[in-house]
Amino acid sequence: MTNTVRVYALETKFEFLKQFRRPAYAIATLGIPLMFYAFFGLMSGLHNNGISLATYLLATYGTFGVVGAALFGFGVSVSMERGARWLLLKRASPMPPLAYFIAKIIAATTFSALVVGLLFAMGVLFGGVHLATLTWLELGSALVLGALPFCAIGLALGYLISPNSAVAIINLINLPMSFMSGLWLPINELPPAVQHIAPFLPAYHLGQLALGTLGAATSPQPWYDHVLILLAFTSAALTVAAIAYRRDEGETYG
Amino acid sequence: MLDLVPVRLAGVGKVYPGGIAAVRDLSLTVAPGQTLALLGPNGAGKTTTIRMMLGLAAPSTGVVRVFGRDPRDSAARVRIGTMLQSAEMPGTLTVREHITLFSSYYPAPLAVDDVIQLAALEGLANRLAQRLSGGQRQRLAFALAICGDPDLLVLDEPTSGLDIESRVMLWERVRVLAARGKSIVITTHYLAEADALADRIAFIARGSIVADGTPAEIKARAGTRELEAAYLALTKTSALEAVS
């Protein structure tokens, strides 16, 4: 039993270290959201939906950071480790198969917490953001838990895309999705056509949940609608991943 | 007792979707402490045979047992260590970290420092895997195969692509493990490797075993002093048999 705990703990620790030491991952997931927030969130005194833009965009760039950490953390690493047959070697070993996935979930969530924490610090220090303690906690936990659906989506992508194109394809999904979900600029400033597409994107719903904790959601739907929609995206992604996993097994175990 | 037999394949066949028979009616038993080399041309069924031994592929017919168990049982897996052809470890963990993690999967692993020494990785413990040379990386893969102190080592083309020095260095390491009483199954394209390491050689052609014996027996049977000539004679004969 303690041995099992140790396997999970080591798998998680080394998953985190492995990702953290990849500059492509660390810079993309931590650097880009912080830089974007500095440019768009801290450089104006404007207001949106009744709160300062620095506060509003803290929720949406937090969402952007969390989505990127989960999509890249899962999608790129699963795709690369499948391609390099590393996953095959792990499957031949006595490693409990779940340890591999749990470790990646915890690592991606930790990265999410890290990027959210850094954004919060920037908002307070340079953006004059003031929130009640409870609101900080609500916003923080909505964002960090919000990583989970995107872990599932990243996992599905990791099984579907080839290691050589993984980074490019995930960027091609993540960047337009983030823009159209109103994570870079407030959604009510985007063209009406984009505002109609947004509800079909999972990042929009996490963004609305995060804004909801500040009382600044633009969507008329209650918060639990967004949770339900995110759960639906999660189960769809897990279904795709399970089918792809079986197809993978079928190549070797059919 | 049956669970003393490291590997037992009985009448094993493997048909992939699409009807391609990669392995047909293959029977093979590896005795405790034996080093068996599996040789054969590309596409002969070596890798499929190895994958069935490791529980990564299910046999379509026949039975595969490792220490008397289904190779997917964790009780079997903890007794197997393996190197897979062209499996690459993530580059951003160090030698020591990789070994520490893999050791944790096994109930009674060797000490990490002993593994480092057994795999000739002294002085490289804190180096990232991506900064190792090809030969060093293969020795790290070897270290991951042996770190759990398994009774059976399955090495799928462990030296392919290595220069001669690295290859000979790895052979020495394999010999040390063989001398410790490990059972070893090794596939290779280098006949000299089989001659140098194995006390038994099995030729696979078209999914079946066409010759099985000590290196000396195989050479005698083919009427040649060179393993290479024996290999060509025996695998060609089988090809002709298959046609007729």
Side-chain angles (χ1 to χ4, degrees):
Chain A
M1 189 58 209
T2 48
N3 194 45
T4 311
V5 172
R6 186 162 180 269
V7 172
Y8 278 78
L10 284 176
E11 194 74 40
T12 304
K13 171 185 167 190
F14 290 130
E15 178 66 28
F16 183 84
L17 273 179
K18 188 174 82 186
Q19 301 271 28
F20 191 75
R21 288 176 185 153
R22 281 183 46 227
Y25 179 71
I27 291 171
T29 53
L30 297 179
I32 290 181
L34 292 173
M35 187 175 75
F36 276 30
Y37 181 62
F39 288 162
F40 298 107
L42 301 180
M43 298 203 177
S44 77
L46 298 173
H47 282 67
N48 192 65
N49 242 19
I51 56 175
S52 79
L53 201 58
T55 311
Y56 182 97
L57 290 180
L58 193 55
T60 63
Y61 281 107
T63 305
F64 177 55
V66 159
V67 169
L71 284 184
F72 283 99
F74 256 88
V76 175
S77 72
V78 170
S79 164
M80 278 174 37
E81 287 164 12
R82 275 177 67 238
R85 298 192 195 205
W86 181 243
L87 196 45
L88 196 66
L89 183 72
K90 289 230 189 205
R91 271 177 40 211
S93 82
M95 175 191 75
L98 258 188
Y100 180 78
F101 300 106
I102 300 285
K104 282 195 193 295
I105 292 173
I106 299 176
T109 318
T110 309
F111 262 103
S112 301
L114 205 58
V115 69
V116 166
L118 289 169
L119 282 167
F120 281 9
M122 274 178 85
V124 170
L125 293 175
F126 308 113
V129 177
H130 290 285
L131 296 175
T133 313
L134 189 64
T135 312
W136 280 121
L137 287 175
E138 281 176 359
L139 177 61
S141 44
L143 288 172
V144 174
L145 288 176
L148 296 175
F150 297 92
C151 286
I153 295 170
L155 177 65
L157 290 172
Y159 272 101
L160 293 177
I161 58 189
S162 83
N164 292 331
S165 54
V167 173
I169 288 179
I170 293 178
N171 269 319
L172 274 176
I173 294 169
N174 184 34
L175 299 181
M177 176 175 74
S178 298
F179 175 75
M180 292 196 287
S181 299
L183 304 185
W184 293 358
L185 297 169
I187 187 135
N188 47 14
E189 291 178 13
L190 298 179
V194 174
Q195 293 190 36
H196 282 108
I197 298 171
F200 295 97
L201 304 172
Y204 165 80
H205 295 280
L206 181 56
Q208 289 300 316
L209 267 180
L211 287 168
T213 64
L214 307 175
T218 53
S219 132
Q221 290 167 290
W223 65 270
Y224 47 81
D225 271 12
H226 299 299
V227 172
L228 286 175
I229 292 167
L230 285 172
L231 285 175
F233 273 109
T234 308
S235 44
L238 288 178
T239 308
V240 170
I243 292 169
Y245 178 82
R246 294 229 182 85
R247 185 200 60 184
D248 242 30
E249 291 269 298
E251 278 176 19
T252 50
Y253 218 90
Chain B
M1 269 175 48
L2 261 184
D3 70 350
L4 290 177
V5 180
V7 180
R8 189 169 64 88
L9 279 69
V12 167
K14 175 68 179 179
V15 182
Y16 282 109
I20 299 154
V23 171
R24 36 186 121 193
D25 196 28
L26 189 147
S27 293
L28 183 71
T29 300
V30 179
Q34 197 168 53
T35 299
L36 168 74
L38 278 180
L39 297 178
N42 286 331
K46 294 189 303 286
T47 295
T48 302
T49 305
I50 292 287
R51 286 191 174 190
M52 288 191 286
M53 266 182 216
L54 294 171
L56 295 173
S60 313
T61 55
V63 178
V64 177
R65 286 290 176 266
V66 173
F67 297 108
R69 292 171 185 276
D70 185 312
R72 284 174 296 166
D73 284 359
S74 60
R77 290 224 152 122
V78 294
R79 298 182 69 180
I80 311 174
T82 188
M83 282 173 82
L84 287 182
Q85 196 187 332
S86 65
E88 269 194 55
M89 68 269 312
T92 47
L93 290 182
T94 67
V95 167
R96 179 179 295 280
E97 288 166 346
H98 269 300
I99 297 172
T100 304
L101 178 58
F102 244 74
S103 298
S104 74
Y105 303 155
Y106 291 85
L110 300 172
V112 173
D113 288 319
D114 292 347
V115 176
I116 286 173
Q117 188 235 321
L118 274 170
L121 289 165
E122 294 100 331
L124 299 170
N126 297 318
R127 188 166 294 189
L128 292 180
Q130 65 195 8
R131 295 191 52 236
L132 298 176
S133 72
Q136 291 165 345
R137 208 171 295 144
Q138 280 306 84
R139 294 209 298 285
L140 174 54
F142 179 74
L144 301 184
I146 64 170
C147 67
D149 199 20
D151 300 311
L152 170 67
L153 286 175
V154 178
L155 311 175
D156 191 13
E157 302 202 8
T159 63
S160 72
L162 294 189
D163 60 28
I164 292 172
E165 288 85 350
S166 303
R167 199 179 299 157
V168 171
M169 200 159 175
L170 200 69
W171 290 357
E172 281 169 16
R173 302 293 99 200
V174 173
R175 280 204 198 95
V176 169
L177 271 289
R180 290 187 165 202
K182 306 294 181 193
S183 310
I184 300 171
V185 176
I186 184 167
T187 71
T188 178
H189 276 297
Y190 303 109
L191 294 155
E193 185 160 298
D195 223 355
L197 292 178
D199 41 39
R200 182 175 155 209
I201 291 176
F203 284 160
I204 298 190
R206 299 182 168 233
S208 305
I209 289 179
V210 295
D212 184 352
T214 64
E217 283 166 3
I218 299 247
K219 290 173 203 166
R221 183 176 151 196
T224 164
R225 305 171 86 173
E226 298 296 328
L227 201 55
E228 222 150 290
Y231 174 84
L232 288 173
L234 290 166
T235 53
K236 194 176 166 196
T237 310
S238 87
L240 292 174
E241 275 167 5
V243 169
S244 59

